[in-house]
Amino acid sequence: MPGDSSVNFSVLHRICKLVVLLCFLHIAVTVVFYVRSFDFRVAFVQNQQSNYNIPMFRNTNRVVSSGLEPAKEEKVLEQPVKKLEKCPETSPLLVGPLRVEFNFSVDLELVKKENPNVQPGGRFKPKDCEALQKVAIIIAFRYREEHLKYWLHYLHPILQRQQLDYGVYVIKQDGNDTFNKCRLLNTGYAEALKEYDYNCFVFNDVDVIPMDDRNTYKCFSQPRHLAVSLDKFNFRLPYVQCFGGATSLSKEQYLKINGFPNNYWGWGGEDDDIYNRVVTSGMSISRPNSEIGKCRMIRHNRDKLNDPNPQRFNRIAHTRETMYKDGINSLKYQVLSIQKLDLFTTITVDVGKP
Ligand SMILES: *[C@@H]1O[C@H](CO)[C@@H](O)[C@H](O)[C@H]1NC(C)=O
Ligand SMILES: *[C@@H]1O[C@H](CO)[C@@H](O)[C@H](O)[C@H]1NC(C)=O
């Protein structure tokens, strides 16, 4: 029994020694790590200070830094000096043919969520490169809320993929007098320019949707007919002078034809007048091929107060004589309101009556 207890005691003694040894080891390791991290911290602070001081000295209008990582901070400081590179001629984001259907209802709240980079008023520009053109998209409008919803649903994603610096302007004719599309389009041109330095204008009927995002909504060396092959005409160009649905003109081209005629009330004729203006000014129409130029048109009955214009044939015959007197240089209108909505800017105008 006593032998047993002495054995127990010596075992206990050894265990105690081991525990004490482990404690020392633990303290030693802790001290080593503490000293090393202290060294590191000193070095870090010094490093940060040197990074802090030099750019501050060089750059008086420097960006205030909140970062902790020195490397990152240098980059942030360089960015304001460096200009964005120009976007490529052909956007790498394009996907080609698109399915366009009108058998569902569009929720604009959802469209807004799906396009978080579109700014109030329907403005957008690419983040990673400088867009090649500043494009104002002008839509003459009255009564067709449902069509506009489809247009916004389909076009915002397409225009962003095309890497354009763009704004969407819906020009709404006030009151119930006969519709005058061209006065609205001319108004859109004038009002968009008051807001931004646009150099390209796309005039898009609210019910025409492109079916291929390679059909870029930009301007070319000649006025562009974008809506080349409509489903309504079995995807064919109905006649070679056709210049409607969706067109683009640079600011220079638009001014060269003195904008659009102001005296076409009701349906029809104005597109042909614009075609005559283009040709009379010595320009020609450029078009994408019929595959890329496919568009879908929303079927609908003609609006009230947009009856065929009986004077249209007579007017078209005289474009050459009237075009320099009647156009953007003789436009009269009164803006009643301008609203910046999430997905577009809407401008309500009084364009007068026939
Ligand atoms: C719309 O029509 C297309 C083609 O006909 C069909 O595939 C799609 O399921 C339809 N969508 C709805 C919501 O009905
Ligand atoms: C225009 O017509 C609509 C119905 O089509 C009517 O609700 C509205 O009051 C009319 N506006 C004016 C100014 O007459």
Side-chain angles (χ1 to χ4, degrees):
M1 292 294 266
D4 269 4
S5 79
S6 85
V7 167
N8 275 351
F9 183 77
S10 90
V11 167
L12 205 65
H13 187 75
R14 274 187 207 170
I15 289 173
C16 280
K17 265 190 183 167
L18 195 67
V19 166
V20 169
L21 206 69
L22 280 174
C23 281
F24 268 109
L25 197 67
H26 182 221
I27 288 169
V29 167
T30 308
V31 165
V32 166
F33 269 87
Y34 178 74
V35 168
R36 276 180 58 177
S37 76
F38 184 72
D39 272 350
F40 177 73
R41 255 186 271 165
V42 169
F44 183 72
V45 168
Q46 278 172 347
N47 193 3
Q48 214 189 16
Q49 276 173 346
S50 68
N51 264 314
Y52 232 86
N53 290 338
I54 297 164
M56 203 135 107
F57 204 66
R58 275 196 245 135
N59 228 349
T60 44
N61 59 344
R62 64 187 287 281
V63 171
V64 176
S65 160
S66 59
L68 285 171
E69 282 175 65
K72 226 180 190 170
E73 199 183 330
E74 287 241 290
K75 251 191 219 156
V76 169
L77 283 165
E78 271 172 25
Q79 254 171 6
V81 183
K82 207 174 110 191
K83 250 189 110 190
L84 279 182
E85 293 209 12
K86 285 211 184 307
C87 297
E89 195 61 41
T90 305
S91 166
L93 308 175
L94 302 181
V95 299
L98 305 164
R99 240 174 69 175
V100 176
E101 306 282 355
F102 306 116
N103 56 359
F104 59 98
S105 60
V106 175
D107 174 2
L108 284 189
E109 280 302 312
L110 199 62
V111 176
K112 184 190 160 192
K113 280 197 195 115
E114 287 164 351
N115 296 279
N117 296 323
V118 173
Q119 303 300 310
R123 297 286 299 274
F124 172 85
K125 63 168 118 177
K127 275 204 197 78
D128 304 326
C129 58
E130 189 198 334
L132 299 180
Q133 299 191 3
K134 298 172 182 168
V135 185
I137 297 152
I138 317 281
I139 298 174
F141 182 83
R142 195 164 65 176
Y143 308 140
R144 308 259 201 93
E145 267 80 12
E146 290 309 311
H147 295 183
L148 181 59
K149 286 182 186 178
Y150 285 118
W151 193 93
L152 296 164
H153 166 79
Y154 283 116
L155 265 295
H156 271 302
I158 293 175
L159 297 166
Q160 289 172 82
R161 288 203 298 275
Q162 293 179 346
Q163 298 187 313
L164 302 168
D165 178 356
Y166 73 86
V168 176
Y169 296 85
V170 174
I171 317 299
K172 187 172 170 184
Q173 181 169 335
D174 185 60
N176 289 334
D177 286 310
T178 307
F179 196 57
N180 189 321
K181 181 167 130 184
C182 285
R183 282 196 191 190
L184 296 170
L185 297 180
N186 282 337
T187 302
Y189 167 89
E191 289 298 309
L193 270 184
K194 286 183 188 168
E195 200 179 276
Y196 192 50
D197 182 24
Y198 291 108
N199 51 22
C200 174
F201 296 81
V202 172
F203 302 94
N204 202 153
D205 288 358
V206 68
D207 54 1
V208 170
I209 313 284
M211 296 174 71
D212 193 312
D213 64 7
R214 292 171 294 175
N215 193 0
T216 309
Y217 269 40
K218 65 174 184 182
C219 289
F220 294 78
S221 63
Q222 301 296 317
R224 182 84 156 179
H225 186 208
L226 298 160
V228 168
S229 32
L230 283 175
D231 59 346
K232 183 167 107 164
F233 303 122
N234 286 320
F235 297 112
R236 289 225 181 83
L237 191 65
Y239 55 105
V240 287
Q241 294 88 349
C242 185
F243 193 57
T247 58
S248 77
L249 291 103
S250 70
K251 190 178 171 187
E252 289 71 32
Q253 291 161 357
Y254 178 91
L255 290 174
K256 212 167 168 185
I257 65 170
N258 190 25
F260 300 155
N262 292 305
N263 293 322
Y264 283 81
W265 297 91
W267 182 89
E270 72 283 351
D271 296 346
D272 300 307
D273 191 292
I274 296 167
Y275 175 85
N276 288 346
R277 285 172 182 246
V278 168
V279 172
T280 304
S281 310
M283 296 186 286
S284 56
I285 305 292
S286 107
R287 292 193 174 97
N289 70 41
S290 60
E291 201 51 41
I292 289 178
K294 275 188 176 179
C295 289
R296 188 143 275 171
M297 196 169 173
I298 307 172
R299 285 173 197 282
H300 59 91
N301 298 324
R302 187 172 293 143
D303 302 324
K304 281 181 203 152
L305 300 162
N306 195 19
D307 289 330
N309 173 7
Q311 297 174 324
R312 65 187 187 278
F313 301 109
N314 184 39
R315 290 212 197 282
I316 295 165
H318 295 98
T319 307
R320 197 184 281 266
E321 295 106 77
T322 55
M323 65 177 279
Y324 296 111
K325 282 178 277 176
D326 174 29
I328 188 68
N329 66 355
S330 65
L331 174 69
K332 290 191 176 67
Y333 65 92
Q334 194 191 350
V335 170
L336 302 178
S337 73
I338 300 180
Q339 282 174 286
K340 300 261 160 221
L341 304 180
D342 288 326
L343 297 165
F344 60 100
T345 297
T346 181
I347 303 180
T348 306
V349 240
D350 180 356
V351 292
K353 43 182 92 178

